[in-house]
Amino acid sequence: MPLLPAAVPLSWYLLLSAVLFSLGVAGFLFRKNIITVFMSIELMLNAVNLSFIAFSYHLKQVDGQIFSFFVMVVAAAEAAVGLGIILTVYKNRSTLEIDEIDSMKN
Amino acid sequence: MDAPLFLLFAFIAVASAISLVVQTHPISSALSLVGVMVSLAVLYLLLGAEFIAAAQIIVYAGAVMVLFVFVIMLLNAGTEHKSSKSPMVKWFGIPLLVVFIGVISFIVQGMLPKSALVVFGTFTQGGPLEVGRALFTTYLLPFEVTSILILIAIIGAIVLARKEI
Amino acid sequence: MHQLWLIPVFPLAGFAINGLIGRKSGKNVVNAVAIGSVLLSFLWVLKALSAMGMFGAGMPEEAHVERYFTWIQSGTLNVGFDFAVDRLSAVMLLVVTGIGLLIHVYATGYMAHEGGYYRFFSYLNLFMFFMLILVLAANYLILFIGWEGVGLCSYLLIGFYFDKQFAADAGKKAFIVNRVGDFGYSLAIFLIVINFGSLDFGKVFEAAKAMPVDQGAGIFTAICLLFFVGAAGKSAQIPLYVWLPDAMAGPTPVSALIHAATMVTAGVYMIARSSSLFVHAPIAMDVVAIVGLATAVMAATIGLVQNDIKKVFAYSTVSQLGFMFLALGSGAFAAGMFHVVTHAFFKALLFLGAGSVIHAVGGEQDLRKMGGLRSKIPITFWTIVCAALAISGVPFTSGAASKDEILIAAFHHAPWMYWVGVITAGMTAFYVFRSVFMAFFGTYRGKAHPHESPLTMTGPLMILAVLSLAGGFLPIPHFLEPMFPKVLEESEKWLEYTAVASGLLGISLAYLFYVARPSLADAASKHFNGLHKLLYHKYYVDEAYDATVVEPIVQGSRSVLWKGFDIGIIDGIVNGIGHRAMNIGGTLRRLQSGNIRSYAAWVVLGSIAVILAMGLTGSIR
Amino acid sequence: MNFFILSLIKAGLIAFVLLTTLAYLQWIERKVLAHIQLRVGPQRVGPHGLLQPLADVVKLLTKEDLLPPYVNKFFYMLAPFLAVTVALIAISVLPFGPEIEVFGVKTWMQLTDLKIGVLVVLGLSSIGVYGVALAGWASNNKYSLIGGLRSSAQMISYELPLALAIAAPLLLSNSLSFREIVDTQAGYYFGVIPRWNVIPQIFGFLIFMIAAFAETNRIPFDLPEAENELVAGFHVEYSSMKFAAFFMAEYANMVTVTAVATLIFLGGWHAPFPVEYGSGFIPTLLFVGSGAIALYHGLHPARPFDRITLPITGVVFFGIGLLFLVPVLQPILLPLFWFTAKTGALLFVYIWIRGTLPRFRYDQLMKFAWTFLFPAALLNLLITALLVAVFPNQ
C-alpha cells in the first residue's frame, strides 16, 4: 500500500494554479510596494500559465502551451514597460508606496 | 515518482508564493517569485511541456525577474511601511480570497473527471519541434503580432527611461 | 474593347503626378506632364474612334459599351462602372480633348508667370478627367460622378486666386448654385431608379422608346423637369445663371475651357443624351425652350452694356447656352449639339483672345481702357475678328450654320420664338463687335505697353480661328441625326436671310456707335438712362437673390437655427446632460478613492460574483 | 533502481573529476600565465607547485570567514552558493563521449540527456546572473553593487549574441539535444575534412567564443571584477569558502562554456580525421612523445630538482600512451581523449588571451555587444536560416 498514489489527478494542478492565483491576488491587495504589486501580477500570470499547460496535457494538444508562450511574451513586454513606468514614477515622486500614488482621486 | 515530485514542487511553489506575499523586502519577494517560477518549470516538465519549461526559466526567471531585481537594486527600495489607506482591502480582503479559492476549487472539482491522472511521459507533444510547428503554422499571425508588441514595448521602455519625459 | 478607360486615366495620372511632385519639379516637367497627358488622351480618342469607323466607314448607330466592374449592387438595382461611346459622346470627346489640348497649350503661355503653376495644371487635368468621365458615362450615376467632379474643379479653378476675396466668393457661389441644380439632378436619378429599375442609358432609353408617347407623361415630365433643373445649374440658365458671370474671376484659360467650351455644355449634352425621355414630355420641352430663349434674351441685353471684356463674353456664353436650350426645347437636338461644337470653337477663341488682350495690356479687363490694339497685337485681333464673325452668324462661318439651324427649328416650334431669337442674334452681333471695336479701334486709352503674346498662345488662337470659320462645314448634324427623334425640316430661305440680316445689322450698328460716331453711344445711354442702369446692373438679379434668398437664409440660420435651436435646444440638452452627469459623478466619485488596491478589491469581488453566478446557473459545466 | 545507482556512480565520478579539474585549472592558469610573462609560477608546494591547489583549498577552508556588518545576511550567504550550484548543474547535461559498455552495463558518458539540453544550459546561465547580482547588492557596498550591476548587465547583454550564435549550428543539426548535435557532426566531407559545425559556422563560432568570454567575466571582458577600478567587483566583501565558491563558479562556467563550444561547434568526441588515416594512434604518440621528453629532461644533469619527478612522469605518460592501445579500452578512452583535448585547447585559449589582451572600457564593452556582436550574430543566423531553407538536405 503506497503512501501516495503513483500519479496525481489533473485537478490537483488546477487547484495549485488557483491557490497560486489567489496568493497573487492577495499580494496585489495587501502589498504596498508597487514593485511587489507588479510581481504579484506576474505570479497571477504564472498561475494562469500552469492552468493552460495542465489543460494542454488534458486535451493532448499543444495549443495551451502556445497560449502560455504568448502570455510569457506579453509578460516580458509588460515588465519592460511597467518597470519603465515605475522608474519614472519614482523619479517624479520618490516613493514606491502605492497608497501615496493617488493623485487621480476625487 | 510523479506524485512526490508534484507534491515537492507544488509545496515549494506555494511556499514561495506565500513568501512573496509575506516578505516585506522587495528583493525577498522577487527571489520568492523566482522560486515559484523554477518550481513551476519543473511542473511543466511533468506535464510534458519541455519547451515551455525551458522558456519559463530563460524568459521569466532569467530575463523578466532579473529586470525586477535590477530595478529594485537601482531604486534601493527598502522594506514597506505599515500603513493602509484602503478599508475595503482591510476588511474584505481575506474573506474574499477564501471565498474565491473555495469557489474555484468547487468548480474545478466538479468540472474534471476524477480519473484524469497526470502520468509523466504520456504526453510528449511539448517539445521544441511541436511548439515551433504550431507557432509557425496555426499561430503564425499572433506570433508575428507579438513581434510588433515587443517592438512597441521596447520603444515604450526607451521613451520612459529617457532623462526627461 | 477599345480600352476606353485609358482616355480619362491619362489626365488623372497627369493630375496625380503634377499634384504630387509638381511643386518640386520644374515648369518644363509640369508642362510636359499636363500637355502630354491630354495629348495622349486626345490621341487615344482619335484611335478609338477611328477603330470604330467614325472617320471612314461610318460609326454604328448603337453605342459601344465597355463594362469594367459592378459598382453598386442592391436588390434588383445593379449599377456597373461602364463606359460607352456613341455618336453623341464621340463628338463631345473630340471637342473636350481637342479644345482641352489647345487650351492646355495656351495656358502654358498665359500662366507662365503665375504662382501655383503646378496646382493650376493639376486642377486642369483633374477637370479633364472628370469631364471625360461625364462624357464617357454609360449610366446616369457615372455621369453624376463626372457632373460633380467638374463642378468641384470649376470651384477650385474659379477660386484659383484664393487669396482674393472676390475669387473665393465667386468659387463658393458657383459651387452653391450648382448644388441646387445637382439636387434636381439627383432627384431625377431617384425617379429613374424607381420607374425604370436601372440607370443604364441603354435600358432606360429602350424602356422609354417602348412606351407610347402619351403614356406616363406625368412621370416623364417630372423627370425631365428635374433634369432641366440640373442642366440649368450646370449650363447657367435662368434662374441659376448667376454664377457664370462671376466665374470669370478664375484665370482666363479656365473661363475658356470650363465656362465656355466644355463644362457649361454638360447640361446640353445631358439633355440631348436624355432626348428619348424628353420626347415623352412636351411640357418639359416647352419649359426648356422658353427658359432657354428667356436666358438668351436676358443675357444678351445685359451683355450690351457691360464694360468688362470677360463679363461681356460671359454673358454672351449664357446667351448662347440659351440658344442651345432653345434648340433642345424645339426638338432639334442635333442642332443644339452642333451649336455646342461651333460655340466651343468660337467662344473658346473669344475667351482665349480676350486672355491674349488682357495679357497684352497687363491685366486690364476694362474695355474703356483699351482701344487701338489692332496694329499692336494683329494676330490676336484677326483671330478675335474670326470668332466675332462666327458668333454674329455671318454667312459661311461656323456660327451661321448652327445658329440658323436653331432658329429654323425654333420657327417650326413656334414662330414667335424665331423672331425673338433673331432679335437676340442681332444683339449678340452688336455687343460682340462693340467689344471688338472698343478694344481694337480708336486710340489706346490705357497705360501699359501692349505686346503680342508668345506662340504658345497665338498658336491655339490661329487653330481655333480656322475652326471657327470652317467648323460650319463639319457634317455634325447629319452625323448625329440617327441619334435623335426626327424633326421635320423644310428650310425656307427667307428665314436664313432674316437671321443673317439681323446679325449684319448688329455689326453695322456697333460700327456706327463705337467707330464712326462714338458720341452716339454716350447719348443713347444718357437717353435711356433708366434702362441702361437696369441693364448695367444686370436687372438687379444678384441683389434680388441676396434679398430674397441669401439674406433670409442667413438671418433665419442666425436667429432660429443658431440662437433658437442650436443654443436653446441642442446646447440645452447637452449642457443639461452634462450637469446631470456632474451631479451623478459627484456622488459616485466617492468610489474613486484613487487607491489602486481598493479598485483591485472591487475587481476581485466582481469576478467572484461572476464566477458564482455562472456556477449557480450551471453555465460553466 | 539500476538507473539510480548508475546515475549516482556517474554523478560521483563526474563531480570528482570536475572538481579536481577545476582546482588544477587554476594551477595550469597560473603556470601558463607565468610562462607567458617569463616567470616560473608556483614552484614551492610540491614539484613544480603541483600540490598548490591542495594548499589553496586548505588555506581557503581555514581562513577566517568574515561577515561584514550591514550586509543582508541571507542573500549574502545565498549568493555564492547559488552561483556555484547553477554553474555545476549545467555540467550534468553535457555528454563527454558516446555510449559505452562497462562490465556489461551500457551507458552514456553523460549524466542525463535532455531533448532540450541546449536550452537548459542557456537557462542555467541566465539564472547564474542572480548569484552575481545578489552578491553585489547584498554586500551593501557601493563598489560591489556597481560591480554586480555591471556584471549582470554584461551577462544579460552577451547572452543574446551567445544564444543567437548557438542557434545557427542548431539549425544545421536540427536538434536541441547535445547527443544528437554531436551525432550529426560525425563523418567527414570528402572522407577527410571533419563534418564539424565550425566549418560552415566559423563566424558563429567566433561570435560564440567572444560572447563566452564576456559571459564568464574573463579578460578582456572582466570589468565586473576589475581590481583597479572597482576593487574587486561584486565579491569584494567575500572571503574564505564563499570567495572560493565564486572562484569555482567562474572556472566551472569556463569549463561548461568550452565544453558546449566543443559539443556544438567542434564535433564533440569525434576525431578530426578518420581512423583509417590513423587517428587512433594520435593519443599514444602524444603521450609517448611527451613521456620521452620528460625522461630526457629528467635525466639532464642541469635540472637536479626534477631528477625524480620527471622520469616518473615520463613513465606514467608511457603507460597512459600504452593504455590507448588496449582494444577494450579504446572505445572509452579515444572519445574521452578527443573531447578533453578540444576542451583543453579552448581552455588554453582562455588563459592565453588573459595573458595577452588588455581590458575593455565598460561603454566599449556594451557598445560592442549591442552594435556589433548582436547584429553580427543575427545576420549569421539569418543567412544560415536562409541557406538551410534553400538547401534543406545539406
Side-chain angles (χ1 to χ4, degrees), chain D residues 91-121:
Chain D
I91 308 282
S92 64
V93 297
L94 301 178
F96 311 113
E99 194 170 25
I100 54 167
E101 199 172 339
V102 184
F103 305 124
V105 181
K106 280 190 158 205
T107 185
W108 279 84
M109 284 201 258
Q110 179 182 16
L111 208 51
T112 176
D113 182 56
L114 292 177
K115 268 204 290 185
I116 50 166
V118 178
L119 291 181
V120 168
V121 171

Side-chain angles (χ1 to χ4, degrees), chain C residues 19 31 92 131 195 322 404 419 445 470 494 527 532 536 588:
Chain C
N31 287 345
M92 282 301 280
M131 192 68 205
N195 287 294
D404 287 351
W419 289 113
R445 298 181 288 274
W494 67 270
H527 195 260
H532 182 262
Y536 189 76
L588 282 180

Side-chain angles (χ1 to χ4, degrees), chain D residues 16-176:
Chain D
F16 174 72
V17 173
L18 185 74
L19 292 176
T20 318
T21 313
L22 293 183
Y24 273 90
L25 195 57
Q26 161 76 0
W27 175 78
I28 292 171
E29 175 156 18
R30 287 168 77 173
K31 271 305 211 190
V32 172
L33 272 181
H35 281 92
I36 287 174
Q37 295 159 357
L38 295 180
R39 296 184 281 116
V40 282
Q43 191 74 9
R44 298 285 174 202
V45 192
H48 285 270
L50 260 179
L51 297 180
Q52 184 72 42
L54 210 62
D56 283 345
V57 169
V58 172
K59 176 196 81 175
L60 286 169
L61 281 175
T62 51
K63 254 187 145 178
E64 184 187 358
D65 191 359
L66 286 173
L67 186 66
Y70 310 117
V71 299
N72 187 323
K73 281 199 194 76
F74 180 71
F75 294 116
Y76 181 79
M77 308 278 221
L78 177 69
F81 293 101
L82 193 65
V84 75
T85 312
V86 168
L88 290 178
I89 287 178
I91 308 282
S92 64
V93 297
L94 301 178
F96 311 113
E99 194 170 25
I100 54 167
E101 199 172 339
V102 184
F103 305 124
V105 181
K106 280 190 158 205
T107 185
W108 279 84
M109 284 201 258
Q110 179 182 16
L111 208 51
T112 176
D113 182 56
L114 292 177
K115 268 204 290 185
I116 50 166
V118 178
L119 291 181
V120 168
V121 171
L122 285 177
L124 288 171
S125 86
S126 62
I127 294 284
V129 179
Y130 285 109
V132 174
L134 279 180
W137 177 78
S139 299
N140 207 359
N141 170 329
K142 65 185 78 156
Y143 293 108
S144 61
L145 178 64
I146 294 174
L149 288 180
R150 272 190 181 187
S151 168
S152 319
Q154 170 183 339
M155 285 166 91
I156 292 170
S157 305
Y158 277 90
E159 209 162 89
L160 284 167
L162 186 86
L164 288 174
I166 292 183
L170 292 184
L171 281 176
L172 296 177
S173 299
N174 204 8
S175 172
L176 286 174

Side-chain angles (χ1 to χ4, degrees), chain D residues 164-346:
Chain D
L164 288 174
I166 292 183
L170 292 184
L171 281 176
L172 296 177
S173 299
N174 204 8
S175 172
L176 286 174
S177 151
F178 281 112
R179 243 182 237 174
E180 286 173 28
I181 293 170
V182 173
D183 284 346
T184 56
Q185 297 178 74
Y188 302 89
Y189 299 109
F190 314 118
V192 198
I193 306 165
R195 275 185 178 277
W196 298 351
N197 280 335
V198 70
I199 290 171
Q201 282 296 327
I202 180 68
F203 294 114
F205 179 66
L206 291 177
I207 293 168
F208 177 85
M209 284 315 288
I210 295 172
F213 276 98
E215 194 67 10
T216 47
N217 292 333
R218 293 281 302 192
I219 277 187
F221 302 118
D222 66 339
L223 263 295
E225 303 162 21
E227 287 90 345
N228 40 7
E229 291 176 29
L230 289 170
V231 199
F234 59 87
H235 53 53
V236 63
E237 300 283 7
Y238 286 88
S239 56
S240 176
M241 256 334 270
K242 296 204 216 44
F243 174 74
F246 280 120
F247 224 74
M248 249 165 78
E250 182 179 329
Y251 281 91
N253 276 332
M254 264 165 67
V255 171
T256 311
V257 160
T258 46
V260 166
T262 306
L263 291 169
I264 291 182
F265 288 99
L266 295 179
W269 51 81
H270 292 297
F273 57 94
V275 183
E276 295 90 71
Y277 298 100
S279 71
F281 297 105
I282 292 289
T284 311
L285 282 177
L286 213 65
F287 277 106
V288 170
S290 27
I293 292 172
L295 274 181
Y296 170 75
H297 279 293
L299 299 177
H300 203 277
R303 312 188 71 161
F305 290 135
D306 301 329
R307 215 176 308 146
I308 302 159
T309 49
L310 276 186
I312 290 175
T313 315
V315 170
V316 169
F317 274 25
F318 272 125
I320 296 174
L322 290 177
L323 270 185
F324 278 94
L325 292 177
V326 180
V328 187
L329 295 180
Q330 261 189 353
I332 306 173
L333 289 184
L334 274 182
L336 258 181
F337 170 78
W338 285 120
F339 182 82
T340 319
K342 289 169 187 173
T343 314
L346 289 178

Side-chain angles (χ1 to χ4, degrees), chain C residues 323 407 417-427 495 498-503:
Chain C
F323 270 109
L407 290 173
M417 288 186 177
Y418 168 80
W419 289 113
V420 178
V422 164
I423 293 166
T424 312
M427 285 196 280
L495 293 174
T498 319
V500 169
S502 86

Side-chain angles (χ1 to χ4, degrees), chain C residues 200-440:
Chain C
D200 235 38
F201 288 147
K203 283 184 191 152
V204 172
F205 299 153
E206 281 306 312
K209 276 185 188 135
M211 283 188 197
V213 174
D214 52 350
Q215 191 190 328
I219 204 69
F220 276 114
T221 309
I223 291 174
C224 291
L225 282 176
L226 287 171
F227 270 144
F228 179 62
V229 171
K234 194 71 49 190
S235 292
Q237 298 300 298
I238 290 176
L240 301 179
Y241 73 95
V242 288
W243 64 271
L244 185 55
D246 284 11
M248 298 306 137
T252 306
V254 171
S255 307
L257 178 62
I258 301 184
H259 306 120
T262 54
M263 186 191 87
V264 289
T265 61
V268 182
Y269 168 77
M270 191 263 290
I271 287 183
R273 169 67 70 202
S274 315
S275 57
S276 315
L277 305 177
F278 272 83
V279 292
H280 287 267
I283 299 173
M285 294 276 275
D286 279 338
V287 171
V288 172
I290 290 168
V291 171
L293 190 60
T295 311
V297 175
M298 180 171 179
T301 50
I302 295 174
L304 287 176
V305 296
Q306 294 302 314
N307 285 326
D308 184 325
I309 186 167
K310 284 181 75 179
K311 276 266 162 69
V312 174
F313 293 153
Y315 279 105
S316 151
T317 304
V318 177
S319 170
Q320 297 298 313
L321 289 167
F323 270 109
M324 294 171 208
F325 278 92
L326 174 61
L328 299 176
S330 312
F333 297 104
M337 284 309 296
F338 187 30
H339 200 59
V340 165
V341 176
T342 57
H343 174 254
F345 294 153
F346 58 67
K347 186 50 62 63
L349 177 51
L350 277 179
F351 268 113
L352 296 187
S356 181
V357 170
I358 294 165
H359 190 76
V361 297
E364 184 54 63
Q365 300 195 4
D366 196 327
L367 285 168
R368 288 167 298 190
K369 292 183 183 158
M370 298 178 188
L373 297 174
R374 183 176 33 166
S375 53
K376 293 184 175 110
I377 45 175
I379 301 175
T380 308
F381 169 63
W382 285 112
T383 49
I384 283 198
V385 165
C386 292
L389 289 176
I391 197 174
S392 308
V394 171
F396 312 116
T397 60
S398 60
S402 55
K403 194 182 279 181
D404 287 351
E405 286 208 28
I406 291 175
L407 290 173
I408 290 163
F411 183 77
H412 288 291
H413 192 65
W416 66 269
M417 288 186 177
Y418 168 80
W419 289 113
V420 178
V422 164
I423 293 166
T424 312
M427 285 196 280
T428 307
F430 176 80
Y431 66 69
V432 169
F433 271 93
R434 167 178 172 267
S435 48
V436 170
F437 291 141
M438 282 177 79
F440 290 99

